[in-house]
């Protein structure tokens, strides 16, 4: 483990503050400062940047973000046991770390940015990773206040985020929303042995950059359509989309799609055309 600051090793921090990992809070800590440094650098050049971190825990990734030049880190942590350890990091980097004691699903992050932008970087608690991502991808107006998302997920979730119709089993609502509004890729895998305690499966770091001008369509219509289409993913559109429109044939044709196609064969652009064609109906 390389030394990135004068703070004590993370294992000592965890022991001194009694931070036994709690499963209910999705706590799998990273102690390897080489790895946390790699994640921090993967988010982009951090000099002068504001970074939002969800779930800093004992602060391994937080320290890497600060050591790699982030001007300001806003870290939202729900587990109050971690606050004294995070206060030590804040004291080491005066004026650069703000710890928010709260639930990331409920905290209004943008109000802390004074109209500015931020990168979001996190080793997410597995149980709220997808709702957080969907929330960030569903923001209005678009483009959003976040400049990029660099997020650790379980690998199977990461694969569902970046999937295309070529990866049929993984391709679904999450991939359509992601592909419509962002460019997303898996950067690298992180073995289960990197975490304390070890989870059962491999994780992956995913990087998303918002599209400046996604194809125009009503997000709520898009969501209704993908809910119906992937809700019966093996059925043809002429059947599955009856949940949206009783007689969907003309509408599917207006979107330039064969009504015999199945949801998992339709690229993001096809779903966008369905939303546009639905909005255009008298
Ligand atoms: N960033 C640390 C690391 O990489 O070692 C900890 C990552 S651990 C996977 C997830 C962290 O998210 C834990 O510290 C946990 O307490 C915190 N957490 C869980 N639910 C949360 C929530 N709703 N809001 C904010 N933080 C949460």
């Amino acid at each position: 483990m390389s030394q990135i600051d004068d703070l004590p090793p993370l294992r000592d921090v965890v022991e001194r503050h009694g931070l036994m990992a709690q499963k209910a809070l999705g706590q799998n800590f990273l102690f390897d400062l080489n790895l946390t440094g790699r994640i921090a650098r993967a988010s982009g050049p951090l000099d002068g940047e504001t970074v939002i971190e969800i779930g800093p825990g004992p602060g391994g990734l937080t320290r890497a973000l600060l050591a790699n030049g982030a001007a300001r880190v806003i870290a939202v942590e729900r587990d109050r046991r971690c606050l004294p350890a995070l206060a030590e990091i804040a004291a080491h980097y005066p004026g650069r770390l703000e710890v928010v004691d709260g639930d990331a699903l409920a905290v209004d992050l943008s109000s802390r940015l004074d109209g500015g932008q931020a990168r979001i970087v996190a080793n997410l608690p597995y149980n709220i990773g997808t709702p957080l991502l969907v929330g960030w991808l569903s923001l209005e107006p678009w483009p959003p206040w976040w400049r990029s998302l660099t997020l650790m997920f379980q690998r199977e979730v990461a694969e569902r985020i970046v999937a295309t119709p070529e990866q049929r089993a993984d391709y679904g609502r999450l991939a359509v929303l992601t592909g419509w509004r962002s460019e997303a890729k898996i950067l690298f895998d992180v073995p289960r042995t990197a975490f304390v305690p070890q989870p059962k499966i491999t994780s992956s770091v995913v990087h998303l950059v918002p599209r400046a001008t996604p194809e125009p369509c009503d997000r709520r219509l898009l969501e209704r359509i993908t809910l119906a289409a992937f809700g019966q993913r093996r059925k043809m559109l002429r059947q599955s989309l009856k949940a949206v429109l009783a007689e969907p044939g003309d509408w599917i044709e207006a979107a330039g799609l064969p009504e015999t196609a199945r949801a998992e064969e339709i690229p993001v652009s096809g779903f966008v055309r369905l939303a546009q064609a639905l909005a255009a109906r008298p």
Side-chain angles (χ1 to χ4, degrees):
M1 189 186 297
S2 62
Q3 187 76 12
I4 61 160
D5 51 36
D6 297 333
L7 288 160
L10 283 158
R11 282 181 196 279
D12 295 1
V13 173
V14 164
E15 201 177 303
R16 189 157 42 85
H17 292 286
L19 302 178
M20 296 303 294
Q22 289 185 1
K23 206 173 170 190
L25 285 168
Q27 291 182 333
N28 298 96
F29 300 136
L30 292 172
F31 291 158
D32 180 345
L33 296 177
N34 287 319
L35 179 58
T36 52
R38 189 175 176 206
I39 297 168
R41 286 189 294 279
S43 65
L46 290 177
D47 281 328
E49 293 275 341
T50 296
V51 177
I52 291 177
E53 184 190 1
I54 307 300
L61 184 54
T62 322
R63 285 164 60 170
L65 293 165
L66 290 161
N68 279 278
R72 180 182 177 207
V73 175
I74 303 168
V76 185
E77 177 55 64
R78 189 178 179 180
D79 183 356
R80 293 204 159 147
R81 296 177 311 154
C82 298
L83 301 183
L86 295 167
E88 289 173 8
I89 303 172
H92 191 81
Y93 291 97
R96 291 172 59 195
L97 173 60
E98 292 158 42
V99 178
V100 180
D101 168 10
D103 179 347
L105 288 169
V107 168
D108 177 5
L109 296 169
S110 65
S111 66
R112 294 170 188 270
L113 299 175
D114 302 323
Q117 287 201 300
R119 295 187 186 277
I120 301 180
V121 184
N123 172 15
L124 290 173
Y126 72 92
N127 46 348
I128 60 165
T130 306
L132 282 173
L133 176 61
V134 169
W136 292 325
L137 287 169
S138 302
L139 289 171
E140 305 292 351
W142 197 268
W145 49 262
W146 51 269
R147 274 161 49 74
S148 62
L149 307 176
T150 307
L151 307 171
M152 178 99 74
F153 288 97
Q154 296 165 299
R155 185 161 67 187
E156 47 150 326
V157 179
E159 283 167 353
R160 287 201 286 116
I161 293 167
V162 303
T164 63
E166 282 71 48
Q167 293 95 37
R168 292 223 173 148
D170 293 323
Y171 184 59
R173 300 184 69 203
L174 187 56
V176 173
L177 177 63
T178 303
W180 171 48
R181 280 200 151 168
S182 76
E183 286 183 71
K185 59 183 174 191
I186 294 179
L187 294 183
F188 52 86
D189 287 342
V190 179
R192 47 191 286 278
T193 50
F195 299 88
V196 178
Q198 290 183 21
K200 290 199 175 70
I201 48 175
T202 302
S203 296
S204 303
V205 175
V206 182
H207 187 71
L208 298 90
V209 178
R211 291 186 197 279
T213 51
E215 288 297 310
C217 82
D218 181 327
R219 177 179 54 80
R220 287 193 182 80
L221 287 185
L222 186 67
E223 282 170 5
R224 256 176 72 197
I225 293 163
T226 57
L227 179 64
F230 287 104
Q232 301 184 70
R233 58 190 298 139
R234 308 242 178 268
K235 296 251 168 75
M236 295 177 191
L237 291 182
R238 68 180 175 212
Q239 178 62 32
S240 60
L241 291 183
K242 280 185 181 164
V244 180
L245 205 63
E247 299 286 341
D250 293 350
W251 162 41
I252 298 168
E253 193 183 326
L257 295 169
E259 55 178 21
T260 52
R262 293 167 170 81
E264 55 193 20
E265 298 162 2
I266 308 292
V268 173
S269 57
F271 284 108
V272 168
R273 288 202 307 277
L274 279 168
Q276 291 168 338
L278 187 61
R281 285 178 70 84

